[in-house]
Every structure is written in structure tokens, then in C-alpha cells.
Amino acid sequence: MGPAQEFIRTFVAAERQERYLALASKPSRRRDFISALAHDGRHLERKFMQQIPAVDAVAAKVAALLKSLGAGPRCFVVAASHGEFDNCATDTAPVLEALVGKSTDCIVFFPGAGLAYYENHEGECHVLRRPAAR
């Protein structure tokens, strides 16, 4: 399972997962995938979301928070509506610097950590965290 699929299985509502998996598997549907998932996060599991106050939506603060929750130095950008980072594995610091607080639709995921950062075009910022199964 790739990182986008892992994100979908971890944080998307069960009844919507198959739709997002299908969209993610088709390059021709990439814009639809970003629009449906990152632009409108209503299908993300709210029980795993913690809102970040606007005053704290700056790259350094978000990076510190994510690191304290187990984020590593590398991440996978599941979706980014603007920018060069969409759909790629990369270093965390430049991604957060480019995306946090910019009101761009984006999802930054930390595979294996059950952790992600979500920001939408309205400036809403969240950490998504799924506790490890016991």
C-alpha cells in the first residue's frame, strides 16, 4: 500500500474510502481527488482531528507540534492544490514552510506514524492523529 492509500485507510471515513482510493489510483482524476479530499475535508474522520488556532498556524509551530507527536524528517504530500510538492515524498521542513498558513488545500502525511497535517483554502488547519492500535 502506498502512502496516499495508507492516508485514506487511516483518516477517511470508511464509507468514502473506496471512492478516494479509486480517484487516487487514476492520474487523470488527480484534480478531482485534491478537490474532493483536500478542498473539502468533510470526509475526514473528525474524531482524529485537532484544530490548530490561526495564531499557531505558522510553519515553525506546526513543525514543533508534529515532531512532538512523532513526525519524522520526511513526509508524503498526499495533496497540495498549489505547488511543486503534490503527490511526492520529501523533506518535512520545506513542505511545511511552503504550505502552512498559506490557505492552500493540502494534506501532509507521515506514513507509519498515524499523523498528518491538513489545511484548506479557508485557512482551517488541523493535525490528524490516529492512536496506534494496542
Side-chain angles (χ1 to χ4, degrees), residues 1-8 10-11 70-78 88-90 92 107-117 128:
M1 175 173 12
Q5 292 78 13
E6 182 184 348
F7 174 84
I8 292 165
T10 304
F11 293 116
R74 304 257 316 151
C75 64
F76 184 84
V77 182
V78 175
C88 71
T90 189
T92 301
I107 297 171
V108 179
F109 180 55
F110 299 89
L115 185 64
Y117 171 77
L128 290 84

Side-chain angles (χ1 to χ4, degrees), residues 12-87:
V12 172
E15 66 273 7
R16 304 300 293 186
Q17 288 181 7
E18 293 308 315
R19 176 175 187 266
Y20 285 107
L21 289 168
L23 286 174
S25 71
K26 298 175 183 162
S28 64
R29 302 292 309 271
R30 185 77 195 154
R31 284 184 176 220
D32 295 333
F33 174 76
I34 293 170
S35 178
L37 187 59
H39 182 75
D40 179 0
R42 68 180 165 199
H43 298 134
L44 298 174
E45 286 280 9
R46 295 286 172 202
K47 64 185 174 187
F48 301 128
M49 297 176 77
Q50 170 191 343
Q51 188 161 11
I52 299 172
V55 68
D56 292 330
V58 294
K61 287 185 178 184
V62 170
L65 173 61
L66 291 168
K67 186 175 181 180
S68 76
L69 296 173
R74 304 257 316 151
C75 64
F76 184 84
V77 182
V78 175
S81 61
H82 305 292
E84 65 201 76
F85 297 109
D86 182 52
N87 199 30

